[in-house]
Amino acid sequence: LSPEQKKELSDIAQRIVAPGKGILAADESTGTMGKRLQKIKVENTEEHRRIFRDILFSSDPSIANSIGGVIFFHETLYQKSDSGKLFPQVVKEKGIVVGIKVDKGTAGLNGTDEETTTQGLDGLSERCAQYKKDGCDFAKWRCVLKISHGCPSALAIAENANVLARYASICQQNGLVPIVEPEILPDGEHDLKRCQYATEKVLAAVYKALNDHHVYLEGTLLKPNMVTAGHSCTKKYTPEDVALATVTTLRRTVPAAVPGICFLSGGQSEEEASLNLNAMNQVPLHRPWKLTFSYGRALQASALAAWVGKVANKKAAQEAFCTRAKINGLASKGEYKPATPASQAAMQSLYTASYVGRLLR
Amino acid sequence: MSFSDSLSATMTHQYPALTAEQKKELQDIAQRIVAPGKGILAADESTGSMAKRLSPIGVENTEENRRRYRQLLFTADQRIDSCIGGVIFFHETLYQKTDDGTPFAQLIKDRGIVVGIKVDKGVVPLAGTNGETTTQGLDGLSERCAQYKKDGADFAKWRCVLKISETTPSQLAILENANVLARYASICQQNGIVPIVEPEILPDGDHDLKRCQYVTEKVLAAVYKALSDHHVYLEGTLLKPNMVTPGHSCPTKFSGEEIAMATVTALRRTVPPAVTGVTFLSGGQSEEEASVNLNAINTCPLTKPWALTFSYGRALQASALNAWKGELSNEKAATEEFIKRAQPFCFPSIFSRLTGWLLSESTRPLEVLAPLLNPSTWLTMLIKHSTTTFS
């Protein structure tokens, strides 16, 4: 990379994680959107998907105070708002950076206990070049690992770390900031310590791979899971427990050169995700990277529940979305003070078992 | 449980290497060594290395002369207590005493300075490489560490050496040295000893600053991957790296700021924030160069989540050696030279680390902070409250 290329990447990354800002992950694939819409009994058509994203993207411009970037799914990148403007343009005009999911889902790793890698490297460079032309400045690629008796295996860790590094390297060649997402699923009955241990091993492997592939760390972002107990774990932990375990893990593995860490919400409820992020930013350990959000479900659940497919509910849906965005913006600075009891949708756990994505053989 | 299950089970389950108490002890030791304003005096020259120091000043390399020399360093007055957090000993020196019979280790410890010990047994060649080496000393290391701990040591040092040329460092050299450093670190921690991890990349050669930065990043990435693989507790370790500098024969000159920027950038890309401190080696730098570069590093405007200080041998001792020349009558003057070399590290180190902290952690507006960022404010405060004089 030339110094100009490096500066461009670094600037983009800094803009996305500017103080008080995080990412709206609106990149649900068609299949995944189906699951979201089914819950509110809305048919999974292209038009419905367009309408819902329009509701989010046409929110009040002040949303840009809390949202630094939006991740798109391919289909959405080429859809238009009711006003006839392409969605990337609508988002960009608010001063928000446009991102694109570029992976093509998980694929099985033979000889493992149903572990996966992620595919999508074929022709990735050309696709990235086109996405850059079409308004994108960052990309996202999700790898999935799980904790169980024999997992994550050494192969799963090495293979996913390597594919993430290849993806990151290709993105940077095309002026896209790669968000590196090595998600360790919360499924299972393991405790907090076990998740911390697995996360440390996975992240150490990821950063070794990024170094081996000569990736420019200052022009990347990390999207990890928070360190939490498994969903079926009988022991309960507070946001402070989660925050301390997570920040300790990150301090042991993520170089200071990485500008920002944007947590995924996994199956956490909207309120849980905000409280945990808030606690992260209050941990009394030195945190040289921004700690913020890249939330999908945890930003959209209330909005979906308010909309339920009805045009008349558009404003209410937007307000619900803006409220969550503002709260998470505060949480990213450690300034969120929950005053009122959260709405029912906010507290409802958004966990669905084995959120691995389509397994292709 | 199938074969593959048992293999991967040992990979993914944690068998705690250290208890919470052991971890706390290690972290406390590490933090004491690199407390604000403090660094390390590397007085661990082997017998062979001491010969090279003593012959230029016409002093015979006897055990007694080595004892007398270390004595004049260790008996420096309380002015060094705020500058020196730890002293690295050579095995022989750990069991030597002052003229009045006080063991050196006890003398240092009683002053609140942490005692350290060099535990490696020197470099050995890696066959099939272009003159590259690894470092030996793992045999019986656990028992040796346990004994050193009893004898007063709380930290250890192990030096690996890499070099830059057309073909080096090779993959093998990087991997092998990273692995042996991780084994050493793991064994130390089991015995309550904080390991200083030293992957020195020699400054020999005509390579430029960029090449050194690239190599340093690769080496450090491998070191920290190995430390992770060996389950080493990073908060209870220190790193002793080379600064990123051009080779000695490089025709281009680089400023202190360029060296600082390259060094801090390399560290930010490879050294996890959990590492308590980075204590630079001086390599072949002069006393002046070493302190100017360290100061530039501490005032570099990038976020630096670890303490950044010194672990200097030659850069702290050269003037003292020259003043001593083996003469009894020169001892006081030599000690004074040593103190003069140590003190300047204390002030800039505290000042720049405090300002760095203020800028990154404080939520007060810049106008309120401004006077605190002015060196003369601190100088005035220090002069008012201090009884020492600054040369």
Side-chain angles (χ1 to χ4, degrees):
Chain A
L1 296 169
S2 68
E4 293 75 28
Q5 284 174 302
K6 285 184 178 175
K7 184 172 194 315
E8 185 195 14
L9 290 168
S10 167
D11 285 348
I12 292 168
Q14 297 283 349
R15 270 166 41 220
I16 297 170
V17 296
K21 300 190 189 185
I23 298 172
L24 163 63
D27 61 321
E28 294 85 355
S29 62
T30 309
T32 306
M33 263 324 273
K35 289 192 224 157
R36 306 275 174 270
L37 296 175
Q38 187 192 40
K39 275 193 92 174
I40 53 167
K41 304 207 178 10
V42 173
E43 200 190 340
N44 186 19
T45 63
E46 190 185 335
E47 178 59 9
H48 283 155
R49 295 192 292 274
R50 187 199 69 78
I51 290 174
F52 182 64
R53 268 67 180 262
D54 194 20
I55 288 175
L56 299 176
F57 302 158
S58 313
S59 294
D60 186 86
S62 66
I63 199 87
N65 294 332
S66 316
I67 304 289
V70 173
I71 317 178
F72 280 69
F73 177 60
H74 179 91
E75 172 192 78
T76 321
L77 198 68
Y78 303 102
Q79 287 178 326
K80 296 182 179 144
S81 70
D82 288 342
S83 65
K85 262 192 218 159
L86 281 167
F87 279 148
Q89 197 187 339
V90 173
V91 166
K92 260 184 157 169
E93 276 170 8
K94 293 183 161 67
I96 300 173
V97 187
V98 171
I100 176 73
K101 182 229 293 287
V102 299
D103 71 77
K104 294 191 171 178
T106 56
L109 281 173
N110 302 316
T112 65
D113 181 14
E114 294 191 351
E115 293 178 291
T116 63
T117 179
T118 297
Q119 50 189 7
L121 291 179
D122 299 350
L124 181 59
S125 191
E126 291 76 13
R127 292 175 59 217
C128 284
Q130 187 60 50
Y131 284 136
K132 181 78 174 177
K133 285 207 195 95
D134 296 338
C136 300
D137 284 313
F138 73 96
K140 188 211 92 174
W141 176 294
R142 176 171 176 261
C143 275
V144 184
L145 297 128
K146 62 177 185 173
I147 297 177
S148 73
H149 184 67
C151 304
S153 66
L155 172 62
I157 294 177
E159 166 57 27
N160 282 286
N162 190 62
V163 80
L164 278 167
R166 280 293 298 133
Y167 141 78
S169 168
I170 292 170
C171 279
Q172 291 195 326
Q173 289 299 306
N174 292 285
L176 294 179
V177 166
I179 296 189
V180 172
E181 180 178 353
E183 172 170 9
I184 301 169
L185 296 175
D187 303 51
E189 41 185 35
H190 53 273
D191 63 6
L192 190 69
K193 265 192 156 25
R194 179 83 201 280
C195 180
Q196 180 175 340
Y197 179 79
T199 308
E200 284 180 20
K201 292 302 172 194
V202 167
L203 291 179
V206 166
Y207 282 96
K208 180 59 165 62
L210 290 176
N211 182 282
D212 290 342
H213 286 257
H214 317 302
V215 174
Y216 175 60
L217 291 187
E218 291 87 334
T220 65
L221 293 169
L222 177 69
K223 179 165 170 167
N225 51 285
M226 295 185 190
V227 172
T228 62
H231 272 292
S232 324
C233 180
T234 46
K235 186 154 182 232
K236 291 298 156 219
Y237 298 89
T238 63
E240 289 70 31
D241 294 332
V242 168
L244 188 62
T246 306
V247 173
T248 300
T249 300
L250 299 171
R251 278 168 51 80
R252 289 175 180 173
T253 52
V254 183
V258 174
I261 298 176
C262 318
F263 294 101
L264 58 94
S265 45
Q268 296 177 45
S269 70
E270 287 178 330
E271 192 59 17
E272 244 185 301
S274 302
L275 290 174
N276 284 338
L277 179 61
N278 195 47
M280 301 282 174
N281 281 290
Q282 295 179 337
V283 170
L285 295 171
H286 185 75
R287 299 162 256 115
W289 354 253
K290 297 279 192 344
L291 288 177
T292 184
F293 57 93
S294 174
Y295 290 167
R297 283 172 279 180
L299 270 174
Q300 301 176 52
S302 299
L304 273 164
W307 177 49
V308 284
K310 303 206 188 319
V311 171
N313 294 341
K314 177 171 172 173
K315 215 168 177 302
Q318 287 183 328
E319 270 167 23
F321 169 55
C322 288
T323 302
R324 277 337 295 180
K326 237 194 239 160
I327 287 174
N328 284 308
L330 288 171
S332 78
K333 293 188 280 187
E335 293 171 7
Y336 173 44
K337 296 183 197 353
T340 54
S343 72
Q344 197 195 20
M347 287 307 293
Q348 210 172 43
S349 178
L350 301 163
Y351 166 64
T352 52
S354 234
Y355 185 54
V356 168
R358 195 179 311 224
L359 190 71
L360 295 170
R361 290 200 183 274
Chain B
M1 192 163 67
S2 74
F3 181 61
S4 64
D5 269 354
S6 61
L7 271 185
S8 43
T10 51
M11 223 243 109
T12 56
H13 284 84
Q14 186 179 14
Y15 302 105
L18 301 166
T19 65
E21 290 76 28
Q22 285 175 302
K23 285 181 178 176
K24 183 173 194 316
E25 186 196 11
L26 290 167
Q27 184 172 23
D28 285 348
I29 293 168
Q31 286 176 338
R32 270 167 41 218
I33 297 169
V34 297
K38 298 190 185 185
I40 298 174
L41 163 63
D44 62 319
E45 295 85 355
S46 62
T47 310
S49 293
M50 272 316 284
K52 292 189 223 160
R53 307 276 172 269
L54 297 177
S55 85
I57 55 167
V59 176
E60 203 189 339
N61 187 20
T62 64
E63 191 184 337
E64 176 59 8
N65 280 340
R66 293 192 293 272
R67 186 195 71 80
R68 285 176 56 216
Y69 174 62
R70 266 63 182 262
Q71 177 174 249
L72 67 85
L73 297 176
F74 300 161
T75 52
D77 63 36
Q78 87 287 353
R79 282 175 287 167
I80 65 159
D81 290 354
S82 50
C83 321
I84 304 290
V87 174
I88 316 178
F89 282 69
F90 178 61
H91 178 90
E92 172 192 78
T93 320
L94 194 67
Y95 302 103
Q96 289 179 326
K97 303 182 171 133
T98 62
D99 291 341
D100 60 20
T102 314
F104 282 154
Q106 191 190 326
L107 179 67
I108 292 296
K109 234 182 162 163
D110 287 348
R111 303 174 63 161
I113 300 174
V114 189
V115 170
I117 176 74
K118 183 227 296 285
V119 298
D120 71 78
K121 295 189 169 180
V123 298
V124 289
L126 281 171
T129 66
N130 183 9
E132 294 178 292
T133 62
T134 179
T135 297
Q136 58 184 5
L138 292 179
D139 298 351
L141 181 59
S142 191
E143 291 75 14
R144 292 175 59 217
C145 282
Q147 187 61 48
Y148 285 136
K149 181 77 175 177
K150 286 206 194 96
D151 297 337
D154 283 314
F155 73 96
K157 189 210 89 172
W158 175 293
R159 176 172 176 261
C160 276
V161 183
L162 296 129
K163 61 176 184 173
I164 298 177
S165 73
E166 285 290 308
T167 55
T168 62
S170 65
Q171 263 298 88
L172 173 64
I174 294 177
L175 270 167
E176 165 58 25
N177 283 286
N179 191 61
V180 81
L181 278 167
R183 279 293 298 133
Y184 140 78
S186 168
I187 292 170
C188 281
Q189 292 194 328
Q190 287 299 305
N191 291 284
I193 292 199
V194 166
I196 297 189
V197 172
E198 180 177 353
E200 173 171 9
I201 301 163
L202 297 174
D204 305 51
D206 58 7
H207 54 273
D208 64 7
L209 191 68
K210 264 194 159 21
R211 180 84 203 279
C212 181
Q213 183 179 336
Y214 177 83
V215 171
T216 305
E217 286 180 18
K218 292 302 170 195
V219 168
L220 290 179
V223 166
Y224 282 97
K225 181 59 166 62
L227 290 177
S228 169
D229 290 343
H230 286 259
H231 318 301
V232 174
Y233 175 60
L234 292 186
E235 291 87 335
T237 65
L238 296 171
L239 177 69
K240 179 166 171 168
N242 49 284
M243 293 184 191
V244 173
T245 63
H248 275 313
S249 328
C250 179
T252 320
K253 288 299 155 219
F254 296 89
S255 66
E257 284 69 38
E258 287 171 301
I259 285 173
M261 186 56 85
T263 304
V264 174
T265 300
L267 297 175
R268 278 167 52 81
R269 289 175 178 173
T270 53
V271 183
V275 173
T276 298
V278 176
T279 60
F280 293 99
L281 58 93
S282 47
Q285 297 179 52
S286 68
E287 292 175 330
E288 195 58 33
E289 255 182 297
S291 61
V292 164
N293 286 338
L294 182 61
N295 194 48
I297 285 170
N298 266 303
T299 49
C300 175
L302 299 172
T303 306
K304 307 173 285 289
W306 347 256
L308 288 168
T309 183
F310 59 92
S311 173
Y312 290 167
R314 280 173 280 183
L316 276 173
Q317 301 177 49
S319 301
L321 274 164
N322 278 330
W324 179 48
K325 291 188 161 31
E327 301 294 332
L328 194 57
S329 51
N330 291 340
E331 273 175 15
K332 270 187 111 60
T335 305
E336 198 58 32
E337 283 299 315
F338 167 58
I339 296 173
K340 274 168 63 177
R341 251 9 275 187
Q343 278 194 310
F345 290 114
C346 178
F347 176 61
S349 184
I350 289 185
F351 169 72
S352 50
R353 284 163 69 178
L354 271 172
T355 53
W357 172 82
L358 274 171
L359 286 168
S360 61
E361 303 288 341
S362 178
T363 50
R364 300 224 181 91
L366 206 53
E367 310 86 71
V368 174
L369 292 177
L372 291 170
L373 299 175
N374 187 340
S376 59
T377 312
W378 289 98
L379 203 48
T380 318
M381 281 168 55
L382 274 165
I383 289 174
K384 261 192 0 197
H385 296 283
S386 163
T387 52
T388 55
T389 51
F390 289 86
S391 52

